[in-house]
């Protein structure tokens, strides 16, 4: 007597190796994706807003007296008065003009020296050593010497800013030029590019990220140099307002001037970052998560 065995039926659970009914499983979502993320602009402003609230609280309770640091409300009132009487816009215009001229001269000088030193070995032998020696000298310490050379007008102030801008730009552009991959140079030569073609299509684009970084550093130092320059024999500018406020113990005016310095520096850095995005669209970068 033969017994026939029916072939076992194949089910989804047998295929997957799991006995029992098949369950519909929901996809696992990372915790970071399930969180409700705040807008980035709100996260970036949380810290300054909390600091401002703490400042106002300390001023309101008397823990922070006006002769030490004025309250935010008082500073806002003084800033409005300075804008309405025209003293602050006039000082900002003078300071911006000084920074622009010094930045222009420093950019031309620093970039020119970096190109000469980075592209030519003889240029490096002639330029790099003197520049490395001069950049270790504090440019603020040269103020008395500049006053003797150029007098007490605009020339020493612009010279200080120019000197502060030159060295960071030189270092970053020179490092960018020398950091270009040699294989890219060899590839350009194999394609028949001339020396000028290599510089134009390979070296300069490769050095551009370093140049943008150097420009951002130079802008920060330009505002720092302006603070020192405008407090020496100045009769206009934001630094001049700070000197007057110091003589009359006006901490509110001093803070207003410092906020203006910070705002102008942040605005300049924002412009450079926009320029960097436009010029470096070909370079993918990590933007954070």
């Amino acid at each position: 007597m033969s017994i026939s065995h029916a072939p076992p039926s194949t089910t989804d659970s047998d295929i997957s190796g799991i006995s029992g009914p098949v369950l519909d499983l929901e996809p696992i979502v990372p915790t970071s994706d399930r969180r409700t993320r705040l807008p980035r602009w709100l996260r970036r402003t949380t810290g300054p807003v909390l600091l401002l609230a703490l400042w106002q609280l300390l001023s309101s309770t008397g823990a922070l007296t006006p002769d030490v640091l004025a309250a935010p409300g008082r500073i806002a009132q003084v800033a409005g008065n300075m804008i309405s009487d025209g003293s602050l816009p006039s000082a900002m215009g003078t300071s911006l003009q000084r920074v622009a001229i010094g930045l222009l001269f420093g950019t031309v000088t620093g970039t020119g020296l970096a190109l000469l030193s980075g592209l030519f070995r003889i240029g490096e032998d002639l330029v790099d050593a003197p520049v490395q020696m001069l950049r270790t000298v504090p440019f603020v310490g040269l103020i008395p010497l500049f006053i003797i050379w150029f007098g007490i007008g605009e020339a020493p102030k612009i010279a200080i800013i120019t000197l502060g801008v030159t060295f960071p730009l030189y270092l970053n552009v020179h490092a960018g030029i020398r950091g270009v991959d040699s294989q890219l140079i060899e590839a350009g030569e194999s394609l028949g590019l001339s020396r000028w073609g290599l510089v134009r299509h390979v070296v300069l684009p490769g050095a551009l990220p370093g140049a943008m970084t150097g420009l951002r550093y130079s802008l920060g130092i330009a505002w720092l140099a302006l603070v020192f320059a405008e407090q020496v024999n100045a009769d206009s500018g934001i630094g001049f307002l700070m000197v007057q406020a110091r003589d009359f113990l006006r901490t509110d005016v001093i803070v207003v001037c410092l906020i203006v310095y910070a705002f102008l520096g942040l605005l300049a850095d924002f412009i450079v970052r926009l320029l960097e995005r436009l010029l470096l669209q070909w370079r993918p970068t990590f933007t954070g998560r």
Side-chain angles (χ1 to χ4, degrees):
M1 181 176 181
S2 62
I3 302 175
S4 61
H5 297 277
S9 59
T10 303
T11 62
D12 293 339
S13 60
D14 294 329
I15 295 176
S16 60
I18 302 175
S19 60
V22 178
L23 302 178
D24 294 332
L25 300 178
E26 296 182 357
I28 298 176
V29 180
T31 306
S32 59
D33 292 340
R34 289 200 302 261
R35 285 201 305 258
T36 302
R37 293 188 176 184
L38 295 175
R40 190 177 182 188
W41 65 268
L42 183 59
R43 288 182 293 162
R44 290 175 67 91
T45 55
T46 300
V49 169
L50 291 177
L51 182 61
L52 191 64
L54 178 62
W55 181 5
Q56 181 64 47
L57 178 63
L58 293 176
S59 300
S60 302
T61 57
L64 196 61
T65 57
D67 57 340
V68 175
L69 188 62
R74 173 61 181 171
I75 292 173
Q77 181 182 0
V78 170
N81 295 335
M82 295 175 67
I83 293 174
S84 61
D85 62 18
S87 59
L88 188 58
S90 176
M92 289 175 59
T94 303
S95 298
L96 281 173
Q97 182 179 0
R98 289 168 178 160
V99 169
I101 297 174
L103 184 65
L104 176 62
F105 289 163
T107 300
V108 172
T109 305
T111 304
L113 292 175
L115 290 175
L116 182 62
S117 177
L119 296 177
F120 307 100
R121 292 182 180 177
I122 187 172
E124 183 179 17
D125 296 338
L126 295 176
V127 172
D128 190 64
V131 171
Q132 297 297 339
M133 293 172 60
L134 289 175
R135 77 178 183 87
T136 59
V137 178
F139 63 90
V140 178
L142 297 176
I143 293 178
L145 194 59
F146 285 165
I147 292 176
I148 295 175
W149 288 349
F150 306 115
I152 59 175
E154 291 296 309
K157 301 175 181 59
I158 294 175
I160 293 170
I161 298 171
T162 301
L163 194 64
V165 168
T166 298
F167 297 125
L169 202 56
Y170 169 84
L171 291 175
N172 284 274
V173 175
H174 181 272
I177 293 174
R178 291 303 175 91
V180 175
D181 194 346
S182 60
Q183 293 182 354
L184 295 177
I185 302 295
E186 295 176 358
E189 291 176 345
S190 65
L191 293 175
L193 291 178
S194 63
R195 183 178 182 86
W196 168 244
L198 288 174
V199 171
R200 180 182 176 184
H201 297 289
V202 179
V203 177
L204 293 184
L208 193 57
M212 291 292 101
T213 302
L215 184 59
R216 293 182 66 182
Y217 276 114
S218 298
L219 274 172
I221 296 180
W223 291 109
L224 177 63
L226 179 69
V227 173
F228 290 102
E230 289 189 332
Q231 296 189 27
V232 179
N233 296 320
D235 56 0
S236 61
I238 303 175
F240 172 69
L241 295 180
M242 291 183 64
V243 172
Q244 283 189 322
R246 179 197 63 191
D247 296 338
F248 291 99
L249 303 179
R250 294 287 305 274
T251 60
D252 47 4
V253 177
I254 293 176
V255 174
V256 169
C257 294
L258 292 176
I259 292 175
V260 170
Y261 273 130
F263 174 75
L264 293 177
L266 184 63
L267 179 62
D269 184 74
F270 176 74
I271 294 174
V272 175
R273 292 178 69 176
L274 286 180
L275 183 63
E276 187 176 13
R277 290 181 182 179
L278 292 175
L279 296 178
L280 300 180
Q281 293 180 356
W282 51 270
R283 188 186 66 160
T285 56
F286 177 68
T287 58
R289 292 186 180 273

